[in-house]
Every structure is written in C-alpha cells, then in structure tokens.
Amino acid sequence: PISGMDLILTEVKGQVALMTLNRPKELNALNRQLLEDLSETLSRLKEDSKLRVLIITGAGDRAFVAGADIGEMADMDRNQAEMFARFGNRVMNQIHYFPLPVIAAVNGFALGGGFELALACDLRLASDKASFAFPETGLGITPGFGGTQRLARQTGPMTAFDLIMTGRRIKAQEAKDLGLVLDVIPADLLLDRAWDLASSIAQKAPVAIREAKRAIRDGLDLTLTEGLTLEEVAFGCCFETQDQKK
Ligand code: CO8
C-alpha cells in the first residue's frame, strides 16, 4: 500500500517502510514544505512498532535530492538562514536518531542538502547513475544541514576539505572508494537491493539492532572508555529480551 502526503510517499511491505521524496520535477529539492512533511512522516513511522527498517529514496530516475531549494534560500538574511539551517538539522537529526536502521537508496543526484540527507542515514546504497557533490561554496554558502560534521566523521577531515572546498562532483564508484556508500548497484536493481538489505536486517533481533545502532552512533561522540560503557549497557539490555532467551 502506498500512502502519504504528496511530497512524501510511504510504502510499507512487511516490516520495512520505503519513504520516497516526491518532487521529481524539481529533482526532489528540499523546500520547507517537503522538510515539514518529512519530519511529520518520520515522527509517525517512529511510533509504528511493527517496523524494523526504513529506506529513503527519491522519486524519478534522475535525482535522490538535488539540494535545498535554491529559490527559497535566495532572499534569506543571516538570521533566517541560521534558523533554516537549524530547522534542517533538526529534520536530519530525526533520521540520525531514528530508532531503526535507515538506508538511503541514492538513485541519482545527491547534492548539497541531498548529500547531507544521505549522510544522516546509517547505510547508503548508490545506483550506478548516482552522483554526489557539495556545490555550496560555489553558491557562496557552506553546507548547512550537517555536511561539514557528518562528512568529516564518515571519511576523515581531508576528504571533507576536498569535497566541500572544491565542490567537485563524484560518481557512485568514487563515493564507494571513499567509504561513502556501501555498494554501487545497477539503477534498475537499486530498490530491490535496498529491500533485500532491509529484510536481512529485519530478520535480526530488534532490540539488538536498536541498541547496536545507538551504541555505534553515540559512541562516535564519546571517548573509547565512555563508548565501552555504552556498549555494556546495550549488551545488558538484550538480556531482558525473548530473542536472547530462546
Ligand atoms: N533547488 C530548487 N530547484 C532545483 C534545484 C534546487 N536545489 N535543483 C534543481 N532544481 C530544479 C531546476 O530549477 C529545474 O526547474 P525548472 O524545470 O522549473 O527550471 C528542475 O529542477 C530541473 O533541473 P535542471 O533543468 O537544472 O536539470 P539539469 O539536468 O539541467 O541539471 C542539476 C541538473 C545539475 C542537478 C542542476 O539542476 C543543478 O545544478 N541544481 C542545483 C544543485 C545545487 O546547487 N544544489 C545545492 C543547493 S545548496 C544546498 O543544498 C544547501 C543545503 C544547506 C542549506 C542550509 C540552509 C541555510
């Protein structure tokens, strides 16, 4: 069944939800309305106790997301821009802190805010037609939806300096070589592969998956000693579940 608001389509199959960002004529650029609908959809899916994995993709065959909506940003003053970045970061954090694994199926352009959205996901699969770039510095701005932070954490600082300072566009294979995507898939097989990956995760113990995501994600912000404490708590937590007892 496909449901949802016009700008976000949601399809649930078994324990996996697929969310499609749906502004194909504008290459799924993130305007405020789309971000608000995305936020609302994430809040709703978070409450669905049947779900185990979320997949995010873009509508059409050209773009995952071609960035924040350039037209909407054009006339912002300093304060409005900062507020917009804060709003965008809040939505990206809803993905980052989503209690289930989130897979980005990057089906085309992932530019600026679109690259940042993909980076907020836990796992990224790219079609062989996908490309990635941070065009912001060419537009007189910095990334504003988490790119400076998440790219550097994912690849180390030098790649982040390179991609953000040059704005160069990379193809899926280079993104894979840089550790930015898990795999490159022929375009017509991308979603099948994303469903397969999601299903393989959905078969594992849900509390173990949730706690593993939390420990990996939150551990990155901590010292090793603090992170290991987090892991001990996560490990203990699993011993109250049927999946561990069976
Ligand atoms: N915003 C709004 N509309 C867009 C965007 C965008 N980011 N990208 C594409 N579109 C629209 C085009 O305007 C066009 O609309 P129309 O048909 O009405 O003219 C339609 O999508 C199709 O695009 P093109 O005709 O340009 O298609 P091409 O195949 O010629 O080119 C490209 C495709 C290369 C992807 C080109 O569209 C492009 O360069 N787009 C802009 C990409 C970009 O610079 N993105 C980064 C934006 S900055 C950003 O994301 C910052 C995030 C942090 C925000 C911080 C808050 C303050």
Side-chain angles (χ1 to χ4, degrees), residues 25-26 29 62 66-70 81 84 111-113 116 135-136 144 169:
K25 279 212 231 50
E26 293 81 14
R62 297 204 60 219
D69 192 294
I70 291 178
F84 186 54
L111 307 178
E116 296 175 291
E136 280 90 336
R169 202 188 294 168

Side-chain angles (χ1 to χ4, degrees), residues 27 62-67 106-111 114 129-132 169:
L27 304 182
R62 297 204 60 219
F64 176 65
V65 169
V106 181
N107 55 311
F109 293 117
L111 307 178
K129 291 189 182 149
S131 61
F132 300 78
R169 202 188 294 168

Side-chain angles (χ1 to χ4, degrees), residues 31-43:
N31 63 4
R32 180 169 277 278
Q33 188 61 54
L34 191 152
L35 285 167
E36 277 170 8
D37 291 358
L38 174 59
S39 172
E40 214 178 301
T41 307
L42 288 164
S43 301

Side-chain angles (χ1 to χ4, degrees), residues 23-30 62-63 65-73 76 80-86 88 109 111-116 133-136 139 141-146 169:
R23 265 188 102 199
K25 279 212 231 50
E26 293 81 14
L27 304 182
N28 306 318
L30 304 170
R62 297 204 60 219
V65 169
D69 192 294
I70 291 178
E72 269 192 4
M73 288 187 294
M76 289 180 185
Q80 289 167 324
E82 201 173 315
M83 297 300 284
F84 186 54
R86 194 161 304 146
F109 293 117
L111 307 178
F115 196 166
E116 296 175 291
F134 279 110
E136 280 90 336
L139 300 167
I141 59 177
T142 61
F145 292 170
R169 202 188 294 168

